[in-house]
Amino acid sequence: MTYLVTGATGFIGTNIVEHLAGEGGRVVALSNVAPSARQKQMAAKASGEVIFVLGDVRDQTGLEEIIERHGVERLIHAAVITSNAEREKTGASLIVDVNLVGAAAAATAAANKRLRRFVLVGSVGVFSAYNLPDGMVIEESQPQRAETLYGISKSAAERIVRRICSLNGLPYVIGRVATAFGPWEHDSGYRDTLSPLHQITRIARADGIAILRRDRKSNWHYGRDAAAALVTLAQAESLRYSDYNLGPQWVWPLGEWCARLAQRFPNFRYEIGGEGNVELYSSNDGGFLSGARFTEEFGPSACFDLDAAFADFMSWLDEPQTN
């Protein structure tokens, strides 16, 4: 089976590539950012084959040529600009262009080449989760009322993909990821605010002090769990629904992550309260993305609870770096 993954050197994209290649799959990894030495090393060690391709996801003709050349059967579209307010002020046109035109080009290319399935990597951001009551479980039926350009564009991309795929009879599915963290998260130039867990871990490894305005709680989504669920949607012979929320079943506060970091890095300190030096995205917890629909059909949407995610992430961080 040959897959095309767009945004393949980004955070979620790299996790998807790693998962597919680890299963022995053949992956065409498309990005406009060249792979790092570590990403190349991951690909070289995989039991499957990874072919890195530089390209623009908005180039429909280029996508169709790639699909034809490599015999692609399924496409997972992960390319996106995860923008913050500062980028919205000055780079709105690029955000909209990449997030909407990119989705349209990828879906149309997949339809024209009659692929077996198109998977859109969606986001909890389409629901404006922070404006929902704390602890509210967000089901797929929750109205989408996004406010940021990122959320608005992700919501619009869902509708664009639905329309294009439905018109062309292309099997498609949308898998929405919760607030993600873990291996391969990095500043790619297109992910403006890294997860609070990434920020805190970076401070801990530098023997610093992390100050949290509050002890934010969420069902934090480990990147490897998100990738595994998305791959499940890509590979399933049949699907009951056209969209799935993929939220993990575990909810925990950031303070628990900090406590584990303090045990591992004795010089690390953390405080809860005050001005804060960790971006928490919002002043409240908001809603938590459900994974019930996915779980009912395929089993648990996540395998890494807090302790498993911490152990795995620390192990990944400790791996020798390739320059």
Side-chain angles (χ1 to χ4, degrees), residues 54-273:
L54 283 174
D56 189 333
V57 72
R58 296 167 292 180
D59 178 7
Q60 179 186 321
T61 300
L63 290 173
E64 292 184 18
E65 290 174 351
I66 290 168
I67 291 169
E68 186 75 26
R69 183 186 326 132
H70 296 283
V72 171
E73 298 168 81
R74 302 177 190 241
L75 193 160
I76 304 177
H77 180 59
V80 69
I81 295 179
T82 308
S83 54
N84 61 12
E86 286 306 309
R87 189 191 291 257
E88 287 186 353
K89 291 178 183 178
T90 59
S93 60
L94 181 61
I95 297 167
V96 172
D97 195 24
V98 170
N99 294 2
L100 297 188
V101 176
T108 304
N112 287 347
K113 293 302 175 180
R114 302 193 178 281
L115 298 192
R116 296 176 62 181
R117 180 162 298 141
F118 181 90
V119 180
L120 176 65
V121 178
S123 170
V124 65
V126 302
F127 298 113
S128 285
Y130 304 139
N131 293 328
L132 298 175
D134 286 355
M136 175 181 172
V137 177
I138 305 173
E139 305 287 354
E140 288 81 359
S141 58
Q142 175 68 30
Q144 296 189 11
R145 294 171 179 162
E147 296 181 350
T148 67
L149 281 185
Y150 169 70
I152 292 166
S153 62
K154 290 297 288 182
S155 181
E158 289 191 12
R159 298 178 67 181
I160 288 169
V161 165
R162 288 183 188 277
R163 178 61 175 169
I164 292 171
C165 293
S166 296
L167 280 174
N168 290 281
L170 172 66
Y172 75 94
V173 65
I174 299 160
R176 301 185 188 95
V177 177
T179 303
F181 74 102
W184 304 111
E185 185 177 7
H186 64 286
D187 182 0
S188 63
Y190 298 97
R191 184 177 178 81
D192 291 338
T193 303
L194 301 175
S195 71
L197 294 122
H198 180 96
Q199 297 172 57
I200 294 166
T201 302
R202 184 170 54 191
I203 293 170
R205 296 179 77 203
D207 293 333
I209 302 175
I211 305 172
L212 284 63
R213 293 190 303 278
R214 59 188 182 82
D215 197 6
R216 187 188 161 192
K217 183 185 297 183
S218 185
N219 59 338
W220 309 100
H221 208 162
Y222 197 53
R224 285 179 167 157
D225 276 331
L230 289 162
V231 170
T232 295
L233 295 178
Q235 295 176 338
E237 288 303 314
S238 62
L239 296 165
R240 297 179 193 169
Y241 304 95
S242 62
D243 65 321
Y244 295 80
N245 291 348
L246 306 176
Q249 58 270 42
W250 299 288
V251 175
W252 40 272
L254 289 171
E256 293 194 14
W257 187 263
C258 290
R260 285 159 176 77
L261 285 171
Q263 290 181 342
R264 184 176 178 87
F265 303 99
N267 293 326
F268 168 62
R269 297 289 182 271
Y270 67 97
E271 301 173 4
I272 298 175

Side-chain angles (χ1 to χ4, degrees), residues 278-289:
V278 175
E279 176 55 56
L280 302 180
Y281 300 155
S282 66
S283 59
N284 67 311
D285 293 344
F288 303 155
L289 195 68

Side-chain angles (χ1 to χ4, degrees), residues 282-304:
S282 66
S283 59
N284 67 311
D285 293 344
F288 303 155
L289 195 68
S290 173
R293 174 181 286 185
F294 181 95
T295 299
E296 180 182 353
E297 189 169 349
F298 301 107
S301 61
C303 296
F304 290 88

